[in-house]
């Protein structure tokens, strides 16, 4: 694979992110507008991107890889959780909760999908959408358990119903139906689906730019857990997962897609839930912002290394 093309794609996303920083600094994109953009991204653009990724001519290897990605994603989440638990033993109290959540729940939507799309095209997004399927499922079960400490009676039943109506889950189900039954979509409908899906990349970078524009890292600059957390999240975990993946018989695009997803920065939900449950919310915001910023360096390096 052409590494210069990878660098160019990721750098392009970085430039768009800087425009988001500028728009925030100039108050063109306010916090309220950014919340609206986030809703558009999660509820409209991203689901359309996922559906559009399933609309092309398949060969049997891609169908086999989709099934394999279910197992690869489950394995990746198990490894991320296990490694995180072990390496975070020196960290205490709520900071451990925040860092563990950040290690397990990566930024699939804002950065993961645009990066996979820029490298592997729609095939990469398909595998990424399977990984994201488990992100959504685990987020509202294991993720809530981490911050809340327990799950209330009836919570799981309620969340299972909510999961079924999650836009990204619905998009994956529609996509799999299109793939399995070779449903042909073309003309104005196809063009509309792809056009809406194509705004995912630029829109996600604008949102990240606004988040980064608010970063105040100076007050946490002497906190060793920030640096330790970043190293675990962006370097140690992806390297361990890549090393384990070498045991597989074949390194397919599906395998690379899962590895790249695990190297993404901390999910914005790290900060959102920390604020909701009042657990080191400023620390969580720093971890999200810092991992996002530094990932613009670490992710291209990882991609060059593994491909």
């Amino acid at each position: 694979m052409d590494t210069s093309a990878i660098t160019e794609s990721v750098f392009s996303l970085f430039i768009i992110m800087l425009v988001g920083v500028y728009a925030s600094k100039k108050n063109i994109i306010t916090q309220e507008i950014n919340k609206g953009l986030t809703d558009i991204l999660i509820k409209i653009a991203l689901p359309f991107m996922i559906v559009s990724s399933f609309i092309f001519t398949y060969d049997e290897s891609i169908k086999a890889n989709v099934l394999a990605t279910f197992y690869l994603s489950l394995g990746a989440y198990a490894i991320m959780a296990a490694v995180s638990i072990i390496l975070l033993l020196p960290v205490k109290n709520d900071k451990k909760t925040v860092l563990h959540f950040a290690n397990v729940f990566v930024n699939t939507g804002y950065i993961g999908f645009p990066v996979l799309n820029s490298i592997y095209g729609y095939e990469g997004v398909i595998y990424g959408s399977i990984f994201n399927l488990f992100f959504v499922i685990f987020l509202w079960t294991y993720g809530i358990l981490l911050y809340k400490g327990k799950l209330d009676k009836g919570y799981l039943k309620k969340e299972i119903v909510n999961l079924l109506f999650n836009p990204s889950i619905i998009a994956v189900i529609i996509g799999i139906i299109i793939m399995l039954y070779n449903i042909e979509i073309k003309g104005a409908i196809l063009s509309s689906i792809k056009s809406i899906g194509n705004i995912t990349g630029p829109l996600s970078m604008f949102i990240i730019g606004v988040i980064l524009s608010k970063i105040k890292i100076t007050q946490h600059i002497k906190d060793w857990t920030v640096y330790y957390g970043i190293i675990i999240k962006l370097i140690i975990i992806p390297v361990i997962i890549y090393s384990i993946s070498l045991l597989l018989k074949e390194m397919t695009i599906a395998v690379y897609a899962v590895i790249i997803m695990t190297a993404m920065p901390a999910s914005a939900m790290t900060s959102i839930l920390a604020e909701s449950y009042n657990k080191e919310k400023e620390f969580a915001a720093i971890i999200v912002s810092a991992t996002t910023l530094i990932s613009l360096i670490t992710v291209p390096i990882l991609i060059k290394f593994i491909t």
Side-chain angles (χ1 to χ4, degrees), residues 273-297:
L273 290 178
E275 189 159 352
S276 296
Y277 293 102
N278 196 28
K279 297 204 175 202
E280 293 285 352
K281 55 186 178 181
E282 288 185 8
F283 177 76
I286 290 295
I287 292 299
V288 171
S289 300
T291 55
T292 299
L293 188 60
I294 297 170
S295 72
L296 295 168
I297 299 170

PDB file of all heavy atoms in Angstrom, residues 273-297:
ATOM      1  N   LEU A 273     -19.802  10.867  29.746  1.00  0.00           N
ATOM      2  CA  LEU A 273     -20.258  10.060  30.890  1.00  0.00           C
ATOM      3  C   LEU A 273     -19.576  10.479  32.187  1.00  0.00           C
ATOM      4  O   LEU A 273     -20.184  10.426  33.263  1.00  0.00           O
ATOM      5  CB  LEU A 273     -20.026   8.577  30.621  1.00  0.00           C
ATOM      6  CG  LEU A 273     -20.919   7.947  29.540  1.00  0.00           C
ATOM      7  CD1 LEU A 273     -20.559   6.477  29.334  1.00  0.00           C
ATOM      8  CD2 LEU A 273     -22.399   8.084  29.901  1.00  0.00           C
ATOM      9  N   ALA A 274     -18.314  10.911  32.087  1.00  0.00           N
ATOM     10  CA  ALA A 274     -17.607  11.395  33.281  1.00  0.00           C
ATOM     11  C   ALA A 274     -18.327  12.617  33.862  1.00  0.00           C
ATOM     12  O   ALA A 274     -18.447  12.770  35.084  1.00  0.00           O
ATOM     13  CB  ALA A 274     -16.168  11.746  32.931  1.00  0.00           C
ATOM     14  N   GLU A 275     -18.829  13.449  32.951  1.00  0.00           N
ATOM     15  CA  GLU A 275     -19.572  14.633  33.402  1.00  0.00           C
ATOM     16  C   GLU A 275     -20.925  14.229  33.963  1.00  0.00           C
ATOM     17  O   GLU A 275     -21.368  14.761  34.985  1.00  0.00           O
ATOM     18  CB  GLU A 275     -19.754  15.607  32.230  1.00  0.00           C
ATOM     19  CG  GLU A 275     -20.318  16.940  32.653  1.00  0.00           C
ATOM     20  CD  GLU A 275     -20.040  18.043  31.650  1.00  0.00           C
ATOM     21  OE1 GLU A 275     -19.283  17.835  30.690  1.00  0.00           O
ATOM     22  OE2 GLU A 275     -20.608  19.125  31.852  1.00  0.00           O
ATOM     23  N   SER A 276     -21.580  13.274  33.319  1.00  0.00           N
ATOM     24  CA  SER A 276     -22.904  12.816  33.771  1.00  0.00           C
ATOM     25  C   SER A 276     -22.836  12.212  35.172  1.00  0.00           C
ATOM     26  O   SER A 276     -23.729  12.430  35.993  1.00  0.00           O
ATOM     27  CB  SER A 276     -23.467  11.773  32.805  1.00  0.00           C
ATOM     28  OG  SER A 276     -23.674  12.342  31.540  1.00  0.00           O
ATOM     29  N   TYR A 277     -21.768  11.455  35.444  1.00  0.00           N
ATOM     30  CA  TYR A 277     -21.636  10.779  36.735  1.00  0.00           C
ATOM     31  C   TYR A 277     -20.665  11.479  37.677  1.00  0.00           C
ATOM     32  O   TYR A 277     -20.320  10.956  38.734  1.00  0.00           O
ATOM     33  CB  TYR A 277     -21.213   9.319  36.519  1.00  0.00           C
ATOM     34  CG  TYR A 277     -22.291   8.499  35.846  1.00  0.00           C
ATOM     35  CD1 TYR A 277     -22.210   8.190  34.487  1.00  0.00           C
ATOM     36  CD2 TYR A 277     -23.402   8.063  36.556  1.00  0.00           C
ATOM     37  CE1 TYR A 277     -23.214   7.455  33.859  1.00  0.00           C
ATOM     38  CE2 TYR A 277     -24.407   7.322  35.945  1.00  0.00           C
ATOM     39  CZ  TYR A 277     -24.306   7.022  34.596  1.00  0.00           C
ATOM     40  OH  TYR A 277     -25.302   6.298  33.974  1.00  0.00           O
ATOM     41  N   ASN A 278     -20.212  12.670  37.260  1.00  0.00           N
ATOM     42  CA  ASN A 278     -19.336  13.513  38.081  1.00  0.00           C
ATOM     43  C   ASN A 278     -18.095  12.763  38.571  1.00  0.00           C
ATOM     44  O   ASN A 278     -17.782  12.727  39.755  1.00  0.00           O
ATOM     45  CB  ASN A 278     -20.112  14.083  39.273  1.00  0.00           C
ATOM     46  CG  ASN A 278     -19.383  15.251  39.920  1.00  0.00           C
ATOM     47  OD1 ASN A 278     -18.614  15.973  39.254  1.00  0.00           O
ATOM     48  ND2 ASN A 278     -19.600  15.447  41.206  1.00  0.00           N
ATOM     49  N   LYS A 279     -17.380  12.161  37.635  1.00  0.00           N
ATOM     50  CA  LYS A 279     -16.165  11.409  37.958  1.00  0.00           C
ATOM     51  C   LYS A 279     -15.000  11.956  37.142  1.00  0.00           C
ATOM     52  O   LYS A 279     -14.822  11.595  35.982  1.00  0.00           O
ATOM     53  CB  LYS A 279     -16.361   9.920  37.679  1.00  0.00           C
ATOM     54  CG  LYS A 279     -17.443   9.290  38.531  1.00  0.00           C
ATOM     55  CD  LYS A 279     -17.248   7.809  38.699  1.00  0.00           C
ATOM     56  CE  LYS A 279     -18.268   7.238  39.659  1.00  0.00           C
ATOM     57  NZ  LYS A 279     -17.879   5.986  40.252  1.00  0.00           N
ATOM     58  N   GLU A 280     -14.208  12.834  37.767  1.00  0.00           N
ATOM     59  CA  GLU A 280     -13.000  13.394  37.125  1.00  0.00           C
ATOM     60  C   GLU A 280     -13.316  13.924  35.715  1.00  0.00           C
ATOM     61  O   GLU A 280     -12.647  13.587  34.739  1.00  0.00           O
ATOM     62  CB  GLU A 280     -11.897  12.326  37.051  1.00  0.00           C
ATOM     63  CG  GLU A 280     -11.339  11.906  38.391  1.00  0.00           C
ATOM     64  CD  GLU A 280     -10.404  12.947  39.001  1.00  0.00           C
ATOM     65  OE1 GLU A 280     -10.069  13.935  38.312  1.00  0.00           O
ATOM     66  OE2 GLU A 280     -10.003  12.772  40.162  1.00  0.00           O
ATOM     67  N   LYS A 281     -14.338  14.792  35.624  1.00  0.00           N
ATOM     68  CA  LYS A 281     -14.787  15.235  34.301  1.00  0.00           C
ATOM     69  C   LYS A 281     -13.738  16.072  33.557  1.00  0.00           C
ATOM     70  O   LYS A 281     -13.610  15.957  32.343  1.00  0.00           O
ATOM     71  CB  LYS A 281     -16.108  15.991  34.409  1.00  0.00           C
ATOM     72  CG  LYS A 281     -16.106  17.180  35.360  1.00  0.00           C
ATOM     73  CD  LYS A 281     -17.518  17.749  35.473  1.00  0.00           C
ATOM     74  CE  LYS A 281     -17.548  18.919  36.450  1.00  0.00           C
ATOM     75  NZ  LYS A 281     -18.913  19.467  36.595  1.00  0.00           N
ATOM     76  N   GLU A 282     -12.974  16.893  34.281  1.00  0.00           N
ATOM     77  CA  GLU A 282     -11.919  17.686  33.630  1.00  0.00           C
ATOM     78  C   GLU A 282     -10.796  16.775  33.146  1.00  0.00           C
ATOM     79  O   GLU A 282     -10.269  16.948  32.039  1.00  0.00           O
ATOM     80  CB  GLU A 282     -11.376  18.745  34.586  1.00  0.00           C
ATOM     81  CG  GLU A 282     -12.341  19.890  34.830  1.00  0.00           C
ATOM     82  CD  GLU A 282     -11.716  20.977  35.691  1.00  0.00           C
ATOM     83  OE1 GLU A 282     -10.494  20.908  35.966  1.00  0.00           O
ATOM     84  OE2 GLU A 282     -12.451  21.886  36.112  1.00  0.00           O
ATOM     85  N   PHE A 283     -10.425  15.813  33.963  1.00  0.00           N
ATOM     86  CA  PHE A 283      -9.397  14.832  33.605  1.00  0.00           C
ATOM     87  C   PHE A 283      -9.838  14.058  32.354  1.00  0.00           C
ATOM     88  O   PHE A 283      -9.048  13.823  31.440  1.00  0.00           O
ATOM     89  CB  PHE A 283      -9.177  13.879  34.781  1.00  0.00           C
ATOM     90  CG  PHE A 283      -8.190  12.774  34.518  1.00  0.00           C
ATOM     91  CD1 PHE A 283      -6.827  13.021  34.506  1.00  0.00           C
ATOM     92  CD2 PHE A 283      -8.628  11.472  34.281  1.00  0.00           C
ATOM     93  CE1 PHE A 283      -5.907  12.003  34.267  1.00  0.00           C
ATOM     94  CE2 PHE A 283      -7.722  10.449  34.053  1.00  0.00           C
ATOM     95  CZ  PHE A 283      -6.360  10.712  34.036  1.00  0.00           C
ATOM     96  N   ALA A 284     -11.118  13.672  32.313  1.00  0.00           N
ATOM     97  CA  ALA A 284     -11.655  12.926  31.169  1.00  0.00           C
ATOM     98  C   ALA A 284     -11.593  13.766  29.896  1.00  0.00           C
ATOM     99  O   ALA A 284     -11.243  13.256  28.823  1.00  0.00           O
ATOM    100  CB  ALA A 284     -13.095  12.502  31.442  1.00  0.00           C
ATOM    101  N   ALA A 285     -11.924  15.043  30.010  1.00  0.00           N
ATOM    102  CA  ALA A 285     -11.884  15.936  28.847  1.00  0.00           C
ATOM    103  C   ALA A 285     -10.453  16.070  28.315  1.00  0.00           C
ATOM    104  O   ALA A 285     -10.236  16.119  27.090  1.00  0.00           O
ATOM    105  CB  ALA A 285     -12.433  17.304  29.218  1.00  0.00           C
ATOM    106  N   ILE A 286      -9.485  16.122  29.223  1.00  0.00           N
ATOM    107  CA  ILE A 286      -8.072  16.203  28.826  1.00  0.00           C
ATOM    108  C   ILE A 286      -7.648  14.934  28.091  1.00  0.00           C
ATOM    109  O   ILE A 286      -6.973  14.992  27.062  1.00  0.00           O
ATOM    110  CB  ILE A 286      -7.166  16.426  30.065  1.00  0.00           C
ATOM    111  CG1 ILE A 286      -7.369  17.833  30.628  1.00  0.00           C
ATOM    112  CG2 ILE A 286      -5.695  16.208  29.719  1.00  0.00           C
ATOM    113  CD1 ILE A 286      -6.933  18.948  29.700  1.00  0.00           C
ATOM    114  N   ILE A 287      -8.051  13.785  28.616  1.00  0.00           N
ATOM    115  CA  ILE A 287      -7.686  12.506  27.992  1.00  0.00           C
ATOM    116  C   ILE A 287      -8.265  12.415  26.584  1.00  0.00           C
ATOM    117  O   ILE A 287      -7.577  12.016  25.632  1.00  0.00           O
ATOM    118  CB  ILE A 287      -8.180  11.310  28.847  1.00  0.00           C
ATOM    119  CG1 ILE A 287      -7.401  11.249  30.173  1.00  0.00           C
ATOM    120  CG2 ILE A 287      -8.043  10.000  28.091  1.00  0.00           C
ATOM    121  CD1 ILE A 287      -5.901  11.045  30.011  1.00  0.00           C
ATOM    122  N   VAL A 288      -9.525  12.800  26.414  1.00  0.00           N
ATOM    123  CA  VAL A 288     -10.160  12.772  25.090  1.00  0.00           C
ATOM    124  C   VAL A 288      -9.437  13.710  24.132  1.00  0.00           C
ATOM    125  O   VAL A 288      -9.078  13.334  23.008  1.00  0.00           O
ATOM    126  CB  VAL A 288     -11.656  13.152  25.185  1.00  0.00           C
ATOM    127  CG1 VAL A 288     -12.249  13.327  23.775  1.00  0.00           C
ATOM    128  CG2 VAL A 288     -12.431  12.083  25.944  1.00  0.00           C
ATOM    129  N   SER A 289      -9.205  14.936  24.584  1.00  0.00           N
ATOM    130  CA  SER A 289      -8.570  15.940  23.722  1.00  0.00           C
ATOM    131  C   SER A 289      -7.124  15.571  23.389  1.00  0.00           C
ATOM    132  O   SER A 289      -6.706  15.654  22.229  1.00  0.00           O
ATOM    133  CB  SER A 289      -8.600  17.312  24.411  1.00  0.00           C
ATOM    134  OG  SER A 289      -9.917  17.708  24.676  1.00  0.00           O
ATOM    135  N   ALA A 290      -6.375  15.163  24.415  1.00  0.00           N
ATOM    136  CA  ALA A 290      -4.956  14.851  24.212  1.00  0.00           C
ATOM    137  C   ALA A 290      -4.758  13.626  23.325  1.00  0.00           C
ATOM    138  O   ALA A 290      -3.915  13.635  22.422  1.00  0.00           O
ATOM    139  CB  ALA A 290      -4.267  14.645  25.563  1.00  0.00           C
ATOM    140  N   THR A 291      -5.541  12.560  23.568  1.00  0.00           N
ATOM    141  CA  THR A 291      -5.400  11.361  22.727  1.00  0.00           C
ATOM    142  C   THR A 291      -5.811  11.655  21.284  1.00  0.00           C
ATOM    143  O   THR A 291      -5.221  11.126  20.342  1.00  0.00           O
ATOM    144  CB  THR A 291      -6.225  10.174  23.266  1.00  0.00           C
ATOM    145  OG1 THR A 291      -7.600  10.564  23.407  1.00  0.00           O
ATOM    146  CG2 THR A 291      -5.679   9.685  24.592  1.00  0.00           C
ATOM    147  N   THR A 292      -6.811  12.516  21.121  1.00  0.00           N
ATOM    148  CA  THR A 292      -7.257  12.894  19.770  1.00  0.00           C
ATOM    149  C   THR A 292      -6.147  13.632  19.039  1.00  0.00           C
ATOM    150  O   THR A 292      -5.821  13.322  17.880  1.00  0.00           O
ATOM    151  CB  THR A 292      -8.517  13.776  19.841  1.00  0.00           C
ATOM    152  OG1 THR A 292      -9.565  13.058  20.472  1.00  0.00           O
ATOM    153  CG2 THR A 292      -8.964  14.184  18.440  1.00  0.00           C
ATOM    154  N   LEU A 293      -5.543  14.589  19.724  1.00  0.00           N
ATOM    155  CA  LEU A 293      -4.484  15.396  19.105  1.00  0.00           C
ATOM    156  C   LEU A 293      -3.256  14.547  18.774  1.00  0.00           C
ATOM    157  O   LEU A 293      -2.730  14.591  17.655  1.00  0.00           O
ATOM    158  CB  LEU A 293      -4.092  16.538  20.055  1.00  0.00           C
ATOM    159  CG  LEU A 293      -3.135  17.595  19.504  1.00  0.00           C
ATOM    160  CD1 LEU A 293      -3.728  18.292  18.292  1.00  0.00           C
ATOM    161  CD2 LEU A 293      -2.796  18.611  20.581  1.00  0.00           C
ATOM    162  N   ILE A 294      -2.818  13.731  19.724  1.00  0.00           N
ATOM    163  CA  ILE A 294      -1.602  12.931  19.536  1.00  0.00           C
ATOM    164  C   ILE A 294      -1.833  11.793  18.544  1.00  0.00           C
ATOM    165  O   ILE A 294      -0.910  11.357  17.858  1.00  0.00           O
ATOM    166  CB  ILE A 294      -1.096  12.409  20.898  1.00  0.00           C
ATOM    167  CG1 ILE A 294      -0.709  13.606  21.785  1.00  0.00           C
ATOM    168  CG2 ILE A 294       0.101  11.478  20.732  1.00  0.00           C
ATOM    169  CD1 ILE A 294      -0.432  13.255  23.229  1.00  0.00           C
ATOM    170  N   SER A 295      -3.079  11.329  18.434  1.00  0.00           N
ATOM    171  CA  SER A 295      -3.378  10.240  17.488  1.00  0.00           C
ATOM    172  C   SER A 295      -3.129  10.658  16.043  1.00  0.00           C
ATOM    173  O   SER A 295      -2.922   9.810  15.169  1.00  0.00           O
ATOM    174  CB  SER A 295      -4.836   9.785  17.641  1.00  0.00           C
ATOM    175  OG  SER A 295      -5.732  10.752  17.134  1.00  0.00           O
ATOM    176  N   LEU A 296      -3.151  11.947  15.793  1.00  0.00           N
ATOM    177  CA  LEU A 296      -2.867  12.446  14.442  1.00  0.00           C
ATOM    178  C   LEU A 296      -1.415  12.165  14.056  1.00  0.00           C
ATOM    179  O   LEU A 296      -1.061  12.213  12.876  1.00  0.00           O
ATOM    180  CB  LEU A 296      -3.160  13.948  14.359  1.00  0.00           C
ATOM    181  CG  LEU A 296      -4.635  14.322  14.549  1.00  0.00           C
ATOM    182  CD1 LEU A 296      -4.794  15.817  14.743  1.00  0.00           C
ATOM    183  CD2 LEU A 296      -5.475  13.849  13.376  1.00  0.00           C
ATOM    184  N   ILE A 297      -0.597  11.855  15.056  1.00  0.00           N
ATOM    185  CA  ILE A 297       0.800  11.461  14.806  1.00  0.00           C
ATOM    186  C   ILE A 297       0.935   9.940  14.894  1.00  0.00           C
ATOM    187  O   ILE A 297       1.529   9.302  14.024  1.00  0.00           O
ATOM    188  CB  ILE A 297       1.744  12.120  15.837  1.00  0.00           C
ATOM    189  CG1 ILE A 297       1.663  13.646  15.737  1.00  0.00           C
ATOM    190  CG2 ILE A 297       3.189  11.645  15.641  1.00  0.00           C
ATOM    191  CD1 ILE A 297       2.356  14.380  16.861  1.00  0.00           C
TER     192      ILE A 297
END
